Amino acid sequence: MKSNNVVLVASAVAAVALLAGCGGESGANVSAAAAAPQSTTSMTTTTLAPPPSIPAPVLTTEDVPPPLPQATEPEVVPAPQTTYAALDAAHYFSSPDGRFQCGIVTLASRTEAGCQGVTTPVPPRPEECMINWGNGIRVTNNDAAQFMCAGGAVYTSGGDTIDPPLGVGQQIQADGYTCKSTPDGIACANDSTGHGFRIAPDSNETF
């Protein structure tokens, strides 16, 4: 009987020890779980940076296109005159305003181009001129241009009306002479010698 009691007591002690051990382990686990930090999810705010600015391209002299060429106006060539009065190998015409009667005339001894009309200034009358002086200028194939000493109209076809006008910008070329109508008057020159004149109501020149 005593032996059985000893066995029972030993079994009881062993069971108590086993329970104590299990209880201690469970408590430790609970404490560890309590002590463990709670898992948290942190929200991170991400700020998007603005896109980098693109610098403007830098143009060099090689990148700049060359300027467009400027349009040049074509040279204006005076239109030939076709409305002059031809008589006995002569070409008669007038200034646009009708104040000068002009002609390119071929004579037996010479050819000449001249215009008659009132102009200023006029050089002094030479002693050998006994008739109208300074009422026009002529140039011949023999001499330089000179003021005229004449008793009447020389450069006219003799018609009832004044001969056709030479419009500004037009010219007549005949018998080695060229006569042009310009805003500054009528100019005639010998094509070979270069001598000639320009005549207008308030100015004139010989060359």
Side-chain angles (χ1 to χ4, degrees), residues 19-46:
L19 291 173
C22 290
E25 183 178 354
S26 176
N29 289 338
V30 172
S31 299
Q38 298 295 321
S39 174
T40 60
T41 301
S42 61
M43 299 296 293
T44 303
T45 302
T46 302

Side-chain angles (χ1 to χ4, degrees), residues 166-196:
L166 185 65
V168 174
Q170 293 185 319
Q171 68 179 22
I172 294 176
Q173 287 183 298
D175 301 331
Y177 291 86
T178 300
C179 291
K180 299 179 181 180
S181 179
T182 73
D184 296 329
I186 299 293
C188 294
N190 184 300
D191 296 336
S192 298
T193 65
H195 290 306

Side-chain angles (χ1 to χ4, degrees), residues 53-122:
S53 60
I54 301 175
V58 178
L59 297 178
T60 64
T61 54
E62 297 179 355
D63 299 324
V64 178
L68 296 176
Q70 298 293 327
T72 57
E73 295 183 358
E75 182 181 356
V76 178
V77 177
Q81 172 74 313
T82 58
T83 55
Y84 55 82
L87 178 66
D88 297 333
H91 304 78
Y92 298 107
F93 59 95
S94 64
S95 61
D97 58 9
R99 300 174 71 172
F100 293 94
Q101 298 182 66
C102 309
I104 299 174
V105 182
T106 298
L107 304 174
S109 59
R110 67 180 186 272
T111 58
E112 63 182 49
C115 289
Q116 284 181 284
V118 178
T119 183
T120 186
V122 176

